[in-house]
Amino acid sequence: MTPLRSSLPHLLRRAWGLFRPVVIAALPLAGLAGALACTGLVWRDTRANQTIAALEAGQDRPVGADAVPEVLLARIRFLAARERLDEAEPLVAALDRDGAPSLRALAQIALGNARLRQAFAKLEAGELEPATPLVGLARQAYRRGLTLRPEAWDAKFNLDVASRLVRDFPERGREQGEEMQADPKKIWTDIPGQPRGLP
């Protein structure tokens, strides 16, 4: 028993003697690899922040589908504000794969706002038929956004506005220039929580 106890420290010293040069050589290499990785992350984040700032300032910047989620959201908002929704769709799909629910919700709300603006433009021009699907798409985007971020009050309000637009469209069979008949039952709006009848 005594010889085994005395030989154990000797074996450890011998093993450490064999591995010591490897460990001493590997430590600086591991430190260098860590420093390079940190430098790469800082460089990536700096570029991402510059791209986000440029997009928010209204400067167009190309963004690939492999960009970080925050950059994808900034690009989606930029495109939605300019009604370039066909370009935004692939970025929305990429954000849906990798982005946090809060970022995905903001992207859906931006799309809903763009669709609702398009619908209002069609309605102001008297084009009711093309406005209907735009309102439907806006409502769909708001619902998706609210599923991901239920506390988004602006999306709730805009969803309510979009829902009322569809319900309150004038009758489609009416001829051009024909006056609409006033319906006394529809004088007051159906505000949730308000009793029907007198105000």
Side-chain angles (χ1 to χ4, degrees):
M1 293 249 176
T2 307
L4 283 176
R5 282 182 187 166
S6 62
S7 66
L8 188 59
H10 176 70
L11 287 173
L12 289 174
R13 277 196 303 272
R14 191 167 176 201
W16 173 244
L18 290 173
F19 288 111
R20 186 173 146 193
V22 175
V23 170
I24 291 173
L27 281 176
L29 291 175
L32 180 62
L36 287 174
C38 289
T39 304
L41 289 173
V42 168
W43 180 77
R44 184 198 71 178
D45 290 347
T46 302
R47 287 197 59 208
N49 288 335
Q50 289 171 346
T51 304
I52 291 169
L55 288 166
E56 288 178 352
Q59 301 168 12
D60 197 357
R61 293 284 188 272
V63 171
D66 58 344
V68 294
E70 292 79 7
V71 174
L72 289 172
L73 176 62
R75 178 69 173 165
I76 290 165
R77 285 177 155 175
F78 175 88
L79 294 171
R82 286 147 186 85
E83 297 183 5
R84 293 162 54 184
L85 300 178
D86 291 339
E87 295 175 58
E89 291 297 336
L91 301 178
V92 171
L95 185 62
D96 283 342
R97 280 193 305 272
D98 301 324
S102 60
L103 299 178
R104 292 163 47 207
L106 292 173
Q108 289 297 328
I109 292 167
L111 291 179
N113 291 342
R115 298 286 189 199
L116 198 55
R117 282 193 303 272
Q118 289 177 334
F120 277 128
K122 297 286 184 192
L123 289 172
E124 287 172 2
E127 301 172 13
L128 302 181
E129 290 295 327
T132 304
L134 292 171
V135 171
L137 290 171
R139 290 172 60 193
Q140 194 175 45
Y142 289 134
R143 283 193 182 108
R144 284 183 191 147
L146 286 168
T147 301
L148 297 164
R149 193 175 179 183
E151 72 278 4
W153 188 88
D154 288 345
K156 290 178 188 177
F157 180 83
N158 290 348
L159 175 61
D160 186 53
V161 169
S163 298
R164 289 173 191 273
L165 273 179
V166 172
R167 187 192 63 207
D168 295 339
F169 276 163
E171 325 271 311
R172 291 218 170 91
R174 187 165 59 93
E175 295 294 324
Q176 183 79 18
E178 183 181 332
E179 287 187 21
M180 291 178 60
Q181 297 294 323
D183 185 356
K185 295 179 184 174
K186 293 186 179 178
I187 291 176
W188 305 109
T189 59
D190 299 332
I191 300 172
Q194 295 294 323
R196 292 180 174 269
L198 295 175

